[in-house]
Every structure is written in C-alpha cells, then in structure tokens.
Amino acid sequence: MNFELSEDQVMLRDLVRDFAEKEIAPKIGTLEDKHEFPKAIIGQLAEIGVLGMTVPPEFGGSRTDFLSYILALEELARVSATVCVIVSVHDSLFCGSILKFGSDFQKQKYLPRAARGEILGAFSLTEPGAGSDAMNLKTKAVRSGDEYVLNGTKAWVTSGGEADALIIIALTGAETGAPKASAFIVDKGTPGLKVARIEDKMGLHSSPTAMLTLEDCRVPVQNRLADEGRGAAIALAGLDSSRIGIAAQAVGLSQQALELAVAYSKQREAFGKKLAEFQALQFMMADIATLLEAGRLLTYRAAELLERGKSITKEAAMAKLFTSEAANKIAYMALQIHGGYGYSKEYLIERLYRDARIFSIYEGTSEIQRLVIARKLLKES
Ligand SMILES: Cc1cc2nc3c(=O)[nH]c(=O)nc-3n(C[C@H](O)[C@H](O)[C@H](O)COP(=O)(O)OP(=O)(O)OC[C@H]3O[C@@H](n4cnc5c(N)ncnc54)[C@H](O)[C@@H]3O)c2cc1C
C-alpha cells in the first residue's frame, strides 16, 4: 500500500492551492456577504483546466487521474466550500454523466464547451417530495414525436439559475402505467424552464440553489441521456463519484478549520498564557487533526479504488459519511477555540461552521449513507 502522492499529483495540488490562496481567498468573503455567484473565479478555474478535469483530451478536457481531481476539490474547499461545490457538480455530475452515458453527439456538443468553461452544468434529481426517497419523482417527460414534453418542479438545484445546461431526471412511460426515471439534458433558455426561486440558505451563500419549474418544456429526443429508464442508474453512478467529491470538500474545509484553530490558539492569551498552552484546547486540536487525517485517508482510498475501476458505492458512502460528520465536529471545536470571536462574522471560522452543516445533508444525508453502507455489507456477507 502506497500512501505517497505522485510528483504529478503534488504539482497539481500545489498549483490549485496557489491559485486558491491568491485568486479565491481574497475575494470570496465579499462575494459570500453579497450572495454573489463567483463568475470570474469559475472562469479563471476553466483557464487553468479545473473545469475539464473529468473530461478526456479528445473532448477538449484536461482529464487527470481521479485522485488528482479530488486533491483539486480539497484545495478549493480549503478556501471556499462554495467554489468547490459549484466545480464538483459541474465536473462530476454534469460532465461525468455525459461522458459515461452520453451519445457522441452529446459529448461533442457539451463536453468541450464545459471543459473550456463556456458553459456551466448542473444536475437536478431532487424534487419537493423526492429527496432521500429520490425515485418518488413527479416530474414527467411525455414523448411527442421527436421531442419530450417535461412538466414538474425540481428542487434544490446547485447552480440551477446560473447553469447553461442541466441534467434533469424525470419520469418517462407514466402514460403507459410503467413509469421509469430517465435523464435529459436541458439547455438554459428552453421555453418552459423557469427559475421559480433561489433558496435563502444558512451557508454556501455564493452558490445559488434554485427551485425550477418545467411547464410544457420541449426537449429534443437527441437530448435524452442514454435509453429511457436509465435515469436511476445515471443518478446513482453520478452520486457514487460525486460523494467522493463531497468528502474532499469536507476534508478541505476541515483542514482550513484546523489551521485557523492552531493559529488563533498561538495568538490569543488568557490567564497570562497563550490558549495553545491549555491542555483542554490541545486535546481538541489533536482530535481535529486525527479526524481530519482519518477522513482524508478514506477519501483518497475511495478515489484510488474508483481510478482502478472498482465498485466504490460503499467506500464513497463511508468517505462521505465520515468526513461530513467529522467536518461538523471539527468546525464546532475550531469555533470553540476561538471563543466569542468565533461567533463573529469577522472571523472566518464562522463561515466554515455554517458551510460545514450541509455536508451531511446533500448528495444523500448521513442516514442514507448508512443505509447504503449497511445494504452493501449485508449483500456482501
Ligand atoms: C444546498 C443544497 C444543494 C443541493 N444541491 C442539489 C443538486 O444540485 N441537485 C439535486 O438533485 N439535489 C440537490 N440537493 C438536494 C439534497 O440532495 C437533498 O436535500 C437531500 O438528499 C435530502 O433530501 P430532503 O432534503 O428531501 O430530506 P428528506 O429526504 O425529507 O429527509 C429528512 C430527514 O429524514 C431522514 N430520512 C429520510 N429517509 C430516511 C430513511 N429511509 N431512513 C432514515 N432516515 C431517513 C433524512 O436523513 C433526514 O434526516 C441540495 C440540497 C441542498 C440543501
């Protein structure tokens, strides 16, 4: 077992870290305060190849091994969980699904532009009544000649209002009494596709999350991703890999929380000593570092297994479960070390504490990850 990153992986990680520190860190706080989408930053990320990291060169991408991609997400999340999730949805769920399930026409049409950052992608599975129970879909796609007519409401779509193209999961065959989920690529501006509302969230303020309505929204048959009835498989495959991305997001944020806690403890004094001298706080920092490293190893292992083409459903769920729960504990302890100042928006840890809360909810809650892990365990035994 080799725990060393390759030279290329280290170079890539350092490149993204450098970019994140110079180009994202100084700007993202203001954007978060204004709830503004980081458009310029996403454009710059396209220039350095980050938006095409899951896209092979023949489709204009900069595809790397999967662990390198995960390292890049971790570095983005170390300075901004918001930027990380926008990239993760675009790279893993949008580009990844088209690459795996798309026709040549779809790959040629969407992937080169997505890799260059000319279009941003989103992925919409959730509905108001279908979150954890993801296949309880109500949105219908009815075939009409060379088109499908989509009607329904999609909820909680990351980048939903910003995206130039979305993969939307909807039911086909409802009219025959045997409905099955299918996936469609829907372009922004398609008549009938509307942003009904942007959610007012606790965190990730620069990542707008949209509720979308589809009213007689006509999508050409050539925009159906794979065959009718493949929607569940497409969603599950996308989620397997993107859950490793969310684990990387949790690891990156946790790394930042550790760095902030250590720096603050060395600077602030109480009872004539630096906070770092109190064993109670040293123990918190030791726990943070241990949780962080354990989560990082689970995440890298899942990434490495995916790269080797292994089934990673259980490993991705474990990495996502552990790191997202750990990030919440870590953000809590790191904020505690900051005392009252940690509760102030003046200190970065306040944002990390809010942003961490989503990790154990989206792309499958912690309870759902446990179900996935347990099901696999019982099947394997
Ligand atoms: C900021 C944000 C961004 C998002 N981005 C996207 C996106 O881009 N695309 C997309 O499709 N979706 C997205 N989502 C949706 C997200 O994946 C869902 O919110 C999530 O899967 C949970 O679904 P729900 O909110 O309906 O909760 P529910 O399913 O209603 O769950 C409520 C509670 O019940 C528990 N529960 C439910 N079923 C079970 C069970 N069988 N056993 C035990 N406990 C259970 C859950 O764990 C949870 O604690 C996003 C959500 C948020 C908040």
Side-chain angles (χ1 to χ4, degrees):
M1 198 180 270
N2 184 3
F3 288 99
E4 292 291 317
L5 297 177
S6 71
E7 257 179 53
D8 284 352
Q9 287 165 339
V10 171
M11 253 168 55
L12 186 277
R13 185 195 61 192
D14 292 350
L15 176 104
V16 180
R17 178 174 299 177
D18 192 53
F19 175 86
E21 283 176 353
K22 289 197 181 118
E23 303 295 335
I24 305 178
K27 299 170 195 158
I28 196 69
T30 314
L31 294 172
E32 289 276 338
D33 289 346
K34 293 200 245 169
H35 292 226
E36 224 176 80
F37 185 78
K39 200 173 169 54
I41 290 171
I42 299 298
Q44 285 174 291
L45 283 169
E47 280 169 27
I48 62 165
V50 171
L51 294 198
M53 287 185 81
T54 56
V55 178
E58 65 260 36
F59 297 112
S62 54
R63 188 178 191 164
T64 58
D65 64 286
F66 196 74
L67 180 54
S68 294
Y69 165 59
I70 285 304
L71 293 169
L73 289 183
E74 182 185 330
E75 291 304 327
L76 294 179
R78 185 171 153 265
V79 298
S80 168
T82 285
V83 171
C84 178
V85 73
I86 296 166
V87 171
S88 174
V89 167
H90 174 89
D91 283 23
S92 293
L93 287 171
F94 182 76
C95 295
S97 302
I98 294 178
L99 188 67
K100 191 157 186 193
F101 295 97
S103 63
D104 277 348
F105 165 78
Q106 291 163 350
K107 288 178 190 168
Q108 295 292 354
K109 180 172 176 195
Y110 291 100
L111 292 180
R113 289 187 299 145
R116 288 196 296 267
E118 289 163 18
I119 58 168
L120 183 72
F123 189 93
S124 172
L125 170 65
T126 306
E127 295 185 2
S132 302
D133 189 6
M135 287 301 133
N136 187 34
L137 300 168
K138 297 284 177 280
T139 298
K140 291 189 179 66
V142 176
R143 180 89 184 240
S144 164
D146 287 343
E147 294 176 325
Y148 284 90
V149 184
L150 273 63
N151 277 288
T153 303
K154 303 302 283 186
W156 298 107
V157 192
T158 296
S159 307
E162 303 292 327
D164 302 284
L166 305 98
I167 294 176
I168 292 184
I169 311 292
L171 289 179
T172 46
E175 60 283 12
T176 64
K180 280 196 173 151
S182 300
F184 301 89
I185 309 173
V186 183
D187 295 320
K188 186 178 192 168
T190 305
L193 171 67
K194 287 195 195 106
V195 177
R197 135 175 130 218
I198 298 294
E199 305 294 346
D200 190 6
K201 307 194 300 296
M202 173 194 261
L204 300 184
H205 286 161
S206 288
S207 164
T209 315
M211 178 175 277
L212 305 174
T213 53
L214 297 146
E215 284 170 17
D216 292 332
C217 179
R218 290 182 168 268
V219 177
V221 169
Q222 61 187 4
N223 276 27
R224 191 190 65 225
L225 201 51
D227 292 337
E228 274 196 16
R230 298 278 285 146
I234 292 169
L236 290 178
L239 287 173
D240 269 356
S241 67
S242 73
R243 278 175 185 159
I244 310 176
I246 300 304
Q249 188 188 28
V251 170
L253 181 142
S254 299
Q255 175 66 42
Q256 169 77 308
L258 173 64
E259 290 171 27
L260 292 175
V262 169
Y264 189 78
S265 75
K266 286 184 171 175
Q267 166 223 316
R268 172 89 174 159
E269 290 184 6
F271 298 96
K273 289 180 182 177
K274 298 285 184 205
L275 295 183
E277 292 176 60
F278 295 117
Q279 198 179 46
L281 302 194
Q282 289 176 358
F283 280 12
M284 278 191 211
M285 289 187 271
D287 285 348
I288 291 176
T290 308
L291 283 169
L292 171 60
E293 279 310 312
R296 183 174 272 137
L297 287 175
L298 278 174
T299 305
Y300 290 4
R301 176 164 172 269
E304 202 263 335
L305 287 172
L306 184 147
E307 182 64 24
R308 283 197 281 130
K310 304 280 181 196
S311 161
I312 45 108
T313 301
K314 185 179 74 186
E315 288 72 15
M318 284 175 164
K320 201 249 176 200
L321 170 65
F322 186 88
T323 55
S324 59
E325 297 275 320
N328 277 281
K329 291 179 195 147
I330 288 170
Y332 178 95
M333 287 187 277
L335 192 149
Q336 191 70 11
I337 290 169
H338 283 71
Y341 293 93
Y343 201 63
S344 158
K345 285 193 180 291
E346 223 177 284
Y347 283 77
L348 185 50
I349 191 64
E350 183 269 347
R351 185 174 91 213
L352 269 59
Y353 184 78
R354 286 184 288 104
D355 285 353
R357 192 62 191 88
I358 189 59
F359 301 158
S360 54
I361 297 172
Y362 60 18
E363 304 217 6
T365 63
S366 288
E367 293 70 39
I368 295 304
Q369 305 308 321
R370 288 186 176 95
L371 283 181
V372 170
I373 296 163
R375 270 188 207 134
K376 280 277 171 191
L377 282 176
L378 294 170
K379 209 170 160 191
E380 282 165 8
S381 67

